[in-house]
Amino acid sequence: MDWKRLKNIQRHRNNIEHYYSNLSKQAARRLISDSFIIIRDFISDHLNKDPMKLLGDEAWAVLIKISEVYEKEKKECLAAIKTLKYFSDAILDAIEDYSCTKCGTDLIMPQKKNMDAIEANFECRECGKVLLYEDIIKPAISNYYSHAVYFSHTDGDDLPITDCPKCDGIYLYNEGVCSSCGYEAEHRCQRCSSTIMPDELSTEPFCEYCAYVMSKDD
Ligand SMILES: [Zn+2]
Ligand SMILES: [Zn+2]
Ligand SMILES: [Zn+2]
């Protein structure tokens, strides 16, 4: 099963069932498109049946049409997003997943192509809300790394993200760069040569221990 698609659908299902939803038309299209893909794959992969026959020609045609409209728009957005230059590929991946905070649509497109992402304005294709890089980068990164952060707490994996020592942005530890300001921190302690871990990056270029010892020497 494609759990990522399913999760997005579940998030909005309750609201719709209670006749209340703030989803835009495009976002609703995406829900139908996602549902369609899950149903189609489930019927063919797990029931070993032909989805078109099982659902009937009429329903099939409607689902295909809505799905195609959404997928085409999404493709155009992704192509435009890919022309920008990012501090790291992980940031590109995170922005590809980002949804508009106003209407929930994930059809976000930069207003100009082929430039530094940090200088770009992004526009929601549904509600027209214009977002700066600094508006979207923190929620986009938090969302993108939410699973990895969860597993770092439950399984003791190293934290993939931490506070940037130079700005209030999110620092991508494995990529070695801040997603907001592009700062590349020192990961090796200048005094004892040990690795500076994500949770002690605020004392870089020294590890927490050395920073403590040095502060006592003063
Ligand atoms: Zn929007
Ligand atoms: Zn920073
Ligand atoms: Zn040290």
Side-chain angles (χ1 to χ4, degrees):
M1 289 295 294
D2 187 344
W3 293 108
K4 208 175 138 195
R5 277 186 207 277
L6 194 64
K7 234 179 96 189
N8 181 50
I9 296 167
Q10 283 172 332
R11 213 151 43 93
H12 298 293
R13 185 192 55 190
N14 272 355
N15 289 345
I16 293 171
E17 276 180 353
H18 296 107
Y19 304 104
Y20 171 77
S21 171
N22 52 8
L23 276 187
S24 69
K25 204 163 150 190
Q26 286 288 14
R29 274 205 188 108
R30 183 195 166 178
L31 276 195
I32 296 173
S33 176
D34 278 349
S35 308
F36 171 58
I37 290 165
I38 288 174
I39 293 165
R40 183 196 62 193
D41 292 350
F42 186 80
I43 292 172
S44 58
D45 297 347
H46 298 284
L47 302 181
N48 296 316
K49 291 211 176 354
D50 179 348
M52 194 167 92
K53 273 188 194 139
L54 197 72
L55 297 172
D57 289 350
E58 204 180 331
W60 181 255
V62 172
L63 289 170
I64 287 266
K65 200 174 157 218
I66 292 170
S67 195
E68 274 173 355
V69 169
Y70 167 78
E71 297 295 339
K72 185 169 169 282
E73 289 264 333
K74 182 68 185 173
K75 229 184 203 166
E76 281 171 20
C77 290
L78 291 180
I81 286 173
K82 277 199 171 75
T83 69
L84 303 183
K85 282 192 275 305
Y86 301 87
F87 296 133
S88 136
D89 285 347
I91 297 173
L92 167 65
D93 293 343
I95 290 180
E96 283 181 351
D97 272 359
Y98 180 78
S99 299
C100 171
T101 44
K102 195 174 165 199
C103 72
T105 300
D106 69 341
L107 301 174
I108 307 291
M109 190 178 251
Q111 289 180 323
K112 287 187 191 145
K113 293 180 186 173
N114 304 307
M115 61 188 294
D116 287 332
I118 191 171
E119 305 286 342
N121 290 336
F122 296 82
E123 190 176 342
C124 172
R125 293 282 289 250
E126 173 67 8
C127 71
K129 189 175 166 72
V130 176
L131 302 137
L132 306 177
Y133 178 83
E134 62 182 70
D135 295 332
I136 67 175
I137 192 61
K138 280 167 85 174
I141 292 290
S142 306
N143 179 48
Y144 184 71
Y145 281 98
S146 59
H147 278 96
V149 168
Y150 175 79
F151 285 118
S152 75
H153 292 313
T154 55
D155 297 3
D157 295 350
D158 288 338
L159 265 177
I161 53 176
T162 187
D163 295 338
C164 173
K166 293 289 177 218
C167 75
D168 69 348
I170 303 174
Y171 189 86
L172 312 178
Y173 187 80
N174 297 330
E175 317 291 327
V177 69
C178 171
S179 59
S180 286
C181 71
Y183 178 64
E184 297 177 9
E186 184 59 62
H187 287 207
R188 190 155 295 282
C189 176
Q190 300 291 283
R191 185 168 174 268
C192 74
S193 297
S194 69
T195 301
I196 302 170
M197 299 308 285
D199 58 356
E200 50 182 3
L201 208 67
S202 61
T203 59
E204 68 92 39
F206 304 104
C207 70
E208 209 166 45
Y209 174 75
C210 287
Y212 171 72
V213 169
M214 290 163 71
S215 75
K216 286 191 80 177
D217 286 349
D218 287 347

